Amino acid sequence: MKELLCSTVLMGLALSAAAHDDALTGKPHDGAAVTHAVRTGSGIEMYESVPNWCQLPPGQTEIGNTHGAIVVDRAGNIYINSDTKRSIMVYTPDGQFVRSFGEDFVAIHGMALRQEDGEEFIYAAHLGGAQAVKFKLDGTVVWTIGWPQESGLYKDKNEYKPTAIAVAPNGDVFVSDGYGKSLIHQYSVDRKYIRSFGGKGTEPGKFQTSHGMALDTRGPQPLLLICDRENRRLQHFDLDGNFVAVTTTGLRRPCSISIRGDKVAVAELEGRVTILDKNNHPIAFLGDNPVKAQWANNPVPPTDWLDGIFTAPHGVSYDAAGNLYVMDWNKSGRISRLNRVYPE
């Protein structure tokens, strides 16, 4: 299996060379600079990049720093973050910019999309405001949750730096203080503080940067699947905050996850996306970047990008058809779409 995965990555790199000349033209990365699709992955987990996918907002020469997340609604519209006044940007499935909202919530870092009584909502971890926010899809703010003063674990809001959010089936909200104390804070559906768990450490049940988080419903009971970035692993917790298991180790600084069916896509800051099976074992690597100098490197310019090769995956999301959207942490702003290629 290892040899198969490696050979597939090399095949993707060879195909990406066809896009290299275009990527070095110096054009703004509005889709005009890359014209070749690139395949990446292995076996039944094969994907193909979509050239020209993410068009720029009118009058803009770049998206702006992408240091957030991606979610996809039932209609297939894609919601991404930038550290600009266009805090949440909305794109059509074919990559056309539609609108943006959240200008008073610059630097949203994590998002989760949830359907409630037939209506969809975006829950967001607002790193820039040390709070959690619930939005309607039109941008209307439903509520906010401030720093967890009730926990007694913080001197003030400046110690609180939320990076991820997840919602339980009963409506409880979990917010991860990934850039602060690496604690997970739980609130009831009516936003009452319940408990905190996790915290800094290397032993199971502790974190070194609890960066990303998702509700995992693949098993007999729903669990939280949490990216323990600097310990390079994923961990499961139950919805009462109890540690369950370290599920996956040896990852390249996992930042965020997206779950579809029994598969998990993991955005790894060090230049790749990994697909896990139902047992949380790696079965494919996508966009693996052989240039280690570009891993986790925010200033990589558009002229150095290769289609189908990632630099610093920070956000990832499946759509309903199994295609993937990937956000690189990049000062110019980079979003890629990979179409799932199914065997004939």
Side-chain angles (χ1 to χ4, degrees):
M1 175 62 75
K2 181 177 179 181
E3 289 77 9
L4 173 62
L5 294 176
C6 290
S7 65
T8 306
V9 169
L10 291 174
M11 179 184 72
L13 294 177
L15 287 168
S16 72
H20 193 215
D21 291 341
D22 289 330
L24 295 179
T25 60
K27 299 175 184 177
H29 194 72
D30 58 1
V34 179
T35 59
H36 299 82
V38 177
R39 286 197 174 186
T40 183
S42 61
I44 62 171
E45 291 295 326
M46 185 69 69
Y47 296 79
E48 186 172 85
S49 65
V50 180
N52 309 342
W53 183 78
C54 189
Q55 301 298 304
L56 295 174
Q60 301 297 315
T61 59
E62 62 180 27
I63 292 174
N65 192 48
T66 40
H67 186 214
I70 307 175
V71 293
V72 182
D73 69 16
R74 284 178 298 174
N77 296 308
I78 300 94
Y79 300 75
I80 68 173
N81 301 131
S82 72
D83 287 344
T84 72
K85 290 292 186 180
R86 300 180 304 278
S87 183
I88 299 178
M89 306 170 68
V90 187
Y91 279 83
T92 62
D94 62 355
Q96 301 300 311
F97 174 79
V98 178
R99 60 188 171 88
S100 64
F101 61 89
E103 65 178 19
D104 294 328
F105 297 90
V106 174
I108 284 174
H109 190 277
M111 296 191 295
L113 193 144
R114 186 170 189 259
Q115 183 174 323
E116 300 170 2
D117 298 323
E119 184 176 0
E120 292 176 288
F121 297 89
I122 289 175
Y123 289 75
H126 182 207
L127 176 63
Q131 61 186 337
V133 189
K134 182 180 180 180
F135 294 98
K136 294 185 176 183
L137 294 191
D138 65 3
T140 301
V141 176
V142 180
W143 52 244
T144 62
I145 300 173
W147 63 286
Q149 187 172 5
E150 310 93 322
S151 71
L153 298 169
Y154 296 82
K155 295 177 182 177
D156 56 49
K157 69 177 291 185
N158 295 321
E159 292 185 325
Y160 181 55
K161 300 174 183 179
T163 58
I165 193 165
V167 188
N170 69 351
D172 281 4
V173 177
F174 296 84
V175 186
S176 177
D177 180 20
Y179 288 161
K181 295 179 179 291
S182 284
L183 289 162
I184 313 298
H185 304 289
Q186 182 177 358
Y187 299 87
S188 66
V189 66
D190 56 355
R191 308 191 304 284
K192 303 298 183 183
Y193 173 79
I194 297 176
R195 64 173 62 89
S196 302
F197 55 93
K200 288 187 176 293
T202 58
E203 62 270 32
K206 298 295 183 180
F207 304 97
Q208 294 289 352
T209 309
S210 52
H211 194 276
M213 177 169 57
L215 182 70
D216 188 351
T217 58
R218 294 175 296 160
Q221 61 178 354
L223 299 170
L224 293 175
L225 186 58
I226 303 174
C227 296
D228 185 5
R229 193 181 74 181
E230 302 310 315
N231 285 325
R232 298 175 176 267
R233 65 191 182 189
L234 303 181
Q235 300 196 64
H236 263 151
F237 283 76
D238 69 20
L239 301 187
D240 292 321
N242 298 306
F243 169 73
V244 175
V246 173
T247 67
T248 312
T249 60
L251 296 170
R252 295 203 315 220
R253 302 179 69 191
C255 280
S256 64
I257 49 184
S258 181
I259 302 172
R260 178 179 181 269
D262 60 5
K263 305 291 175 52
V264 180
V266 185
E268 295 171 277
L269 199 63
E270 292 180 335
R272 74 178 181 189
V273 171
T274 292
I275 306 298
L276 308 177
D277 65 12
K278 63 181 179 181
N279 297 313
N280 300 304
H281 298 149
I283 55 173
F285 303 117
L286 312 182
D288 196 350
N289 193 329
V291 182
K292 289 188 177 182
Q294 292 188 346
W295 292 6
N297 190 342
N298 180 258
V300 176
T303 50
D304 289 350
W305 300 348
L306 292 178
D307 215 36
I309 302 296
F310 303 121
T311 59
H314 189 276
V316 65
S317 182
Y318 282 108
D319 67 12
N323 307 309
L324 280 171
Y325 298 90
V326 180
M327 170 189 289
D328 276 307
W329 175 54
N330 186 270
K331 72 172 185 178
S332 298
R334 189 186 188 199
I335 310 295
S336 303
R337 172 171 167 156
L338 299 177
N339 283 347
R340 178 74 181 273
V341 179
Y342 290 92
E344 296 182 357

